[in-house]
Amino acid sequence: MDSLANQARTVSRLLSVRAVPIAVMVGPLQSGMHIRLNTIRIVSAEDLCDVLRLLDRQYLPQGGQARLVDTATRLLPPTPFATPPVLSALPVDPDPEDDERTVTAAVEEVTTWYAVVRVWRTRPRRGQGVASPAGDVVRVHLVAVDAAS
């Protein structure tokens, strides 16, 4: 747990934002129960998404997300893969009730250091479909896995 708290302090110091250390427990911790160990929140796996959304609303700087990501990328560079990884991209449709439009993620380039993923919203049109860039309203879950594993 000390390592988790130290990592949170380092991220807070480098990015000038509040980093909240969270440990997730699968098993005996019942939904709705939260435990604090000094600065670390311990939550059940079942509650993790709700806790993250709450913390996001409380602590994420409004309007500064792009700057925060750029700063994090510069100060906390990732460790490159030895070979290009296998990448999956799953877009989350911001309007799932809209049967006329679909969200699609296209993985265009994958290297050991970065990936290019473009997200499109499509809609039917008489005689042909129309695709347009989705913009920043669509979140995409990316998972990179070492190709050797």
Side-chain angles (χ1 to χ4, degrees):
M1 293 292 190
D2 288 338
S3 175
L4 179 59
N6 287 335
Q7 290 171 9
R9 281 193 296 274
T10 300
V11 168
S12 292
R13 188 182 76 250
L14 288 173
L15 301 181
S16 300
V17 295
R18 180 162 182 194
V20 179
I22 299 176
V24 180
M25 183 178 281
V26 177
L29 191 62
Q30 295 178 353
S31 178
M33 291 180 62
H34 298 178
I35 299 171
R36 281 190 179 233
L37 178 63
N38 298 321
T39 61
I40 299 171
R41 296 175 190 224
I42 303 171
V43 300
S44 70
E46 191 174 323
D47 293 339
L48 180 61
C49 289
D50 291 334
V51 169
L52 291 175
R53 285 187 192 101
L54 175 68
L55 292 172
D56 190 43
R57 284 192 302 273
Q58 288 177 344
Y59 299 117
L60 190 65
Q62 298 303 313
Q65 292 92 336
R67 189 178 68 251
L68 179 63
V69 171
D70 290 341
T71 303
T73 302
R74 186 171 39 80
L75 294 176
L76 306 169
T79 303
F81 286 91
T83 60
V86 175
L87 187 73
S88 68
L90 178 65
V92 179
D93 192 338
D95 190 9
E97 302 299 319
D98 184 357
D99 292 334
E100 296 293 312
R101 297 178 69 109
T102 304
V103 179
T104 305
V107 178
E108 295 184 358
E109 182 179 5
V110 180
T111 73
T112 58
W113 276 97
Y114 67 89
V116 176
V117 178
R118 298 202 195 281
V119 183
W120 303 91
R121 294 205 66 185
T122 59
R123 61 183 162 83
R125 186 169 144 188
R126 184 171 283 154
Q128 62 185 0
V130 175
S132 58
D136 60 0
V137 298
V138 178
R139 298 195 185 264
V140 179
H141 297 278
L142 294 174
V143 177
V145 179
D146 190 338
S149 60

